[in-house]
Amino acid sequence: MAFLYWLLPLVFLCSCLGTWMLRHYALSRSLLDVPNERSSHQVPTPRGGGVAVVLTFLAGVPVLAAVQAVSYQTALALWVSGALVAAIGWLDDHGHVAARWRLLKHFGAAAWLLYWLNGLAPVTLFGYWIDFGWTGHIFTAFYLVWMLNLYNFMDGIDGLAGVQALSVALGCVFIYALLGETGLMALPL
């Protein structure tokens, strides 16, 4: 896991640089989210900053597979589903894509991911293994699409989505470190 000491800062810097570049790109092309009654911002905000994060993620996934931090099957699942969601988002930022087509692509990405990860794994609850079977797979697909759209609701390059992503990531690192399941116990938190 020593590669995390150079990979994580590199991914962070590439995401920041890419977001900065995409912000200027969006401003130069007038790709702006104009506030409406559903918006979380008050002034027009550049669109498309998430693409920098996704492209950095897509570049990092093969590296994780190469150093055997994830399996090639997991890398394929993450890479294709991430690229599909990013592509439909990019197209929507540059011109309206009907919600039904976005949802279809989102469900396609969720189904691809779940197929390659063998669906929802059995859950341990109070010492008992619970396998939800197909019901769990379907619920998980809806959950993934729901979370994607909920996160996407934080529109624009105004930092809200980035702060939330950082908070969730740090929370996950903390939980995994407490559980000791990923080898992160060696990382100084």
Side-chain angles (χ1 to χ4, degrees), residues 45-96:
T45 307
R47 301 174 87 171
V51 171
V53 175
V54 173
L55 289 177
T56 306
F57 171 79
L58 293 177
V61 167
V63 174
L64 292 174
V67 298
Q68 299 177 349
V70 298
S71 69
Y72 286 106
Q73 182 174 334
T74 300
L76 180 66
L78 293 171
W79 203 94
V80 172
S81 59
L84 182 59
V85 169
I88 195 70
W90 181 256
L91 292 172
D92 189 47
D93 283 341
H94 282 76
H96 179 70

Side-chain angles (χ1 to χ4, degrees), residues 129-163:
W129 283 92
I130 303 171
D131 187 356
F132 293 101
W134 279 102
T135 305
H137 303 330
I138 293 168
F139 172 78
T140 304
F142 275 92
Y143 171 78
L144 289 170
V145 172
W146 171 260
M147 291 306 294
L148 171 64
N149 284 281
L150 182 66
Y151 190 79
N152 195 38
F153 185 69
M154 292 182 276
D155 47 3
I157 306 174
D158 59 1
L160 179 61
V163 169

Side-chain angles (χ1 to χ4, degrees), residues 4-138:
L4 283 177
Y5 288 111
W6 63 266
L7 184 62
L8 291 177
L10 180 63
V11 165
F12 177 75
L13 290 174
C14 289
S15 294
C16 289
L17 177 63
T19 301
W20 178 79
M21 291 171 25
L22 280 166
R23 182 179 185 279
H24 287 284
Y25 170 82
L27 289 172
S28 72
R29 301 235 195 283
S30 296
L31 296 173
L32 301 174
D33 254 335
V34 178
N36 59 37
E37 64 278 354
R38 298 181 334 138
S39 296
S40 60
H41 56 274
Q42 303 298 320
V43 297
T45 307
R47 301 174 87 171
V51 171
V53 175
V54 173
L55 289 177
T56 306
F57 171 79
L58 293 177
V61 167
V63 174
L64 292 174
V67 298
Q68 299 177 349
V70 298
S71 69
Y72 286 106
Q73 182 174 334
T74 300
L76 180 66
L78 293 171
W79 203 94
V80 172
S81 59
L84 182 59
V85 169
I88 195 70
W90 181 256
L91 292 172
D92 189 47
D93 283 341
H94 282 76
H96 179 70
V97 175
R100 68 179 169 271
W101 298 116
R102 286 194 315 264
L103 276 176
L104 182 65
K105 300 295 186 210
H106 293 167
F107 274 107
W112 175 269
L113 182 73
L114 290 170
Y115 173 78
W116 285 99
L117 298 181
N118 298 319
L120 179 66
V123 177
T124 304
L125 187 63
F126 302 113
Y128 295 100
W129 283 92
I130 303 171
D131 187 356
F132 293 101
W134 279 102
T135 305
H137 303 330
I138 293 168

